[in-house]
Amino acid sequence: FNLAETSRMVEIAKSIEDHPTARQTFDVHFISDGGDFEPMIEKHGFALTRMEPRLTPEKIELIAKVDRGEKFTPAFTDAEMIQRVENEVAVLQRLNPIAAITGSYPSIPVTCRVLKVPLVWVVQSTWLPDFFRHGAGMTDRIRPAPVKAVAGLLVFAFISFWIRYGFLNTINRTTRHFGVAGYSSIFEFWCGNITLVAEPPEFTGVKLPPNHYFIGPLIPRDEFPLPAELAGIPKDKPVIYFAMGSSGTPEIVAKVIESFAGKPYHVIAPVKFQLAQVRGTRVPKNVMVTDWIPALQVNKMADLSVIHGGIGTVMTAALAGKPVVGVGMQIEQVANLACLERLGFAIRVPKSRDPSARIQVAIEKLLHDDAAKAKAAAFARVFAQWDG
């Protein structure tokens, strides 16, 4: 149900199929518990086992709200997590894999411990302890340095508590149920036998722990067609690319869309998914709302991107070499956007019920910031040296 994570796993699977040695050595088999993006897996011909229990739309929405900090409750119950692991154990015993690869699947690390199957995590450096210990991008604007350091410790303590209550406690009760070791922290949970950091080292500059490797970004390049109407978009005004991935808050998306009314630029907005959940949204004449589109291609067509800061949108915007206005929907996205802001070509706008006025101010500023444009183009050349 998460577009970025599904596409990253598909890119890894495609790289195995495209590699002459790997495709003779490995078979790729996906498992999924539901969501709109399962067809992305099957259209490439990869085997897919649909796991039980299936995630209902209501459950996916709960997970999204917990992820965005809009609900303070465990995303999964103990019973749900135990059932997931039981079913995964049965499937993996049948497949007998040499490794399991994941970027977000919450129960598979426990299953790997139960069966002693090697685990490969695909993460970003904004998940690593070195980044969290310095405020996770949330304290960058605090001065002086001693106050910033204290704030960083407080942020680290709060995030650790929030993750433990909302997720890790359930995981550890599940490991006890199966008689395997639990996790001392979320950082241990995110650490595989091998951990692939899907970005270039220049993104955050953090030092990697053992068995972690930078691989460069994993960007989907051929998953969605370019709508015909986009090919002929006028060039008489700047073009804004407005994307909130699969996890943007629909009500915020709707308000930002309406705020584009009368502005002196064209807007390409693949937010049909979110607007379908908000009644009565007035879409201005200068806004073209679409379904999913080839993000990198459209980013390159635009003069500026307005994004939520999911790792997929951040990596794509950076590779396209365009300035960014970002509104993080949750802590990880705020951290991702902080990295682009530190690099000099992004402006972060705090999440609120209606951040649209601040977004418009930031757009106007960045459209006329030649230094930010130059820094974005320079960093795109760094990104282009990597093939995740």
Side-chain angles (χ1 to χ4, degrees), residues 315-374:
M315 292 289 133
T316 304
L319 186 57
K322 302 299 172 68
V324 167
V325 175
V327 186
M329 296 291 116
Q330 41 100 321
I331 292 170
E332 174 214 306
Q333 294 165 2
V334 172
N336 295 336
L337 292 166
C339 298
L340 298 188
E341 191 171 51
R342 292 172 183 177
L343 291 164
F345 58 92
I347 294 176
R348 280 186 295 161
V349 173
K351 178 184 175 182
S352 64
R353 289 185 179 273
D354 186 3
S356 55
R358 289 188 175 188
I359 289 174
Q360 296 302 333
V361 171
I363 289 173
E364 183 66 20
K365 182 176 180 180
L366 279 180
L367 282 176
H368 298 90
D369 190 336
D370 291 337
K373 294 176 185 178

Side-chain angles (χ1 to χ4, degrees), residues 27-86:
D27 287 322
V28 178
H29 196 109
F30 279 81
I31 66 171
S32 168
D33 50 10
D36 291 340
F37 304 112
E38 287 181 339
M40 287 179 63
I41 298 165
E42 293 181 305
K43 85 170 190 178
H44 291 287
F46 298 119
L48 170 64
T49 295
R50 287 175 164 81
M51 301 298 294
E52 298 289 344
R54 303 293 285 167
L55 294 179
T56 63
E58 293 75 20
K59 186 67 173 181
I60 291 171
E61 179 60 19
L62 172 65
I63 294 168
K65 287 184 176 180
V66 171
D67 197 39
R68 296 192 297 253
E70 296 169 6
K71 274 188 174 291
F72 193 60
T73 185
F76 293 94
T77 67
D78 293 5
E80 288 170 335
M81 194 63 69
I82 289 169
Q83 184 182 7
R84 290 172 65 96
V85 173
E86 287 174 343

Side-chain angles (χ1 to χ4, degrees), residues 276-350:
Q277 302 174 55
V278 183
R279 292 183 178 179
T281 304
R282 297 181 297 275
V283 178
K285 293 181 180 180
N286 61 327
V287 176
M288 187 180 299
V289 172
T290 73
D291 211 331
W292 306 112
I293 55 180
L296 181 60
Q297 186 177 352
V298 178
N299 258 275
K300 290 181 176 179
M301 293 167 55
D303 296 276
L304 181 149
S305 296
V306 179
I307 59 177
H308 68 314
I311 196 63
T313 59
V314 164
M315 292 289 133
T316 304
L319 186 57
K322 302 299 172 68
V324 167
V325 175
V327 186
M329 296 291 116
Q330 41 100 321
I331 292 170
E332 174 214 306
Q333 294 165 2
V334 172
N336 295 336
L337 292 166
C339 298
L340 298 188
E341 191 171 51
R342 292 172 183 177
L343 291 164
F345 58 92
I347 294 176
R348 280 186 295 161
V349 173

